């Protein structure tokens, strides 16, 4: 059986309470054959908690749920490409702020 560690993040966004789950470790043992065993995952969880990371959970690997969490996570990480119009707008804002401070 394989296990992974996830973190639950609860935030207030625009006056509404939102929550999401983020996968912190892989659920496979590609690098270390013993890396996804329950004992090792629990040990690593305790190390993360000692570093001060809150709301950690050890989960048994369920392919459908794990892949869904990873897909949602990847959507949040994607960033919009910076265009020349964006740079021009940022430059204008900087110039306006600089002229106000003088």
């Amino acid at each position: 059986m394989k296990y992974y560690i996830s973190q639950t993040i609860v935030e207030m966004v625009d006056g509404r309470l939102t929550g999401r789950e983020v996968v912190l470790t892989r659920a496979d043992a590609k690098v270390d054959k013993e890396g996804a065993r329950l004992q090792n995952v629990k040990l690593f969880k305790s190390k993360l908690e000692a570093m001060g990371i809150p709301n950690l959970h050890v989960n048994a690997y369920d392919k459908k749920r794990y892949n869904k969490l990873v897909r949602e996570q990847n959507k949040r990480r994607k960033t919009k490409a910076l265009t020349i119009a964006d740079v021009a707008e940022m430059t204008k804002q900087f110039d306006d702020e600089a002229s106000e401070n003088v």
Side-chain angles (χ1 to χ4, degrees):
M1 189 86 183
K2 296 186 268 186
Y3 297 89
Y4 64 96
I5 298 174
S6 66
Q7 179 184 23
T8 304
I9 300 172
V10 180
E11 302 169 314
M12 285 290 275
V13 177
D14 298 328
R16 296 179 62 199
L17 193 63
T18 61
R20 64 181 178 194
E21 188 173 0
V22 179
V23 176
L24 298 179
T25 61
R26 294 176 69 136
D28 59 9
K30 285 185 179 180
V31 178
D32 180 16
K33 285 194 171 209
E34 302 297 317
R37 281 188 28 216
L38 181 60
Q39 179 182 1
N40 293 335
V41 172
K42 282 184 177 180
L43 178 64
F44 188 60
K45 178 184 175 239
S46 66
K47 289 180 182 180
L48 292 174
E49 287 174 335
M51 290 181 358
I53 300 174
N55 304 327
L56 297 177
H57 315 282
V58 174
N59 303 303
Y61 177 71
D62 174 32
K63 183 177 180 179
K64 187 175 181 180
R65 183 172 187 273
Y66 178 81
N67 289 339
K68 179 183 175 187
L69 291 173
V70 171
R71 278 194 307 273
E72 288 176 9
Q73 217 169 306
N74 289 340
K75 288 178 188 175
R76 290 183 163 275
R77 279 195 0 218
K78 290 185 180 178
T79 58
K80 188 177 106 179
L82 191 64
T83 63
I84 295 174
D86 295 334
V87 173
E89 183 180 329
M90 291 180 345
T91 306
K92 182 181 176 206
Q93 288 176 355
F94 178 75
D95 291 339
D96 291 343
E97 290 176 7
S99 64
E100 290 176 5
N101 292 336
V102 172

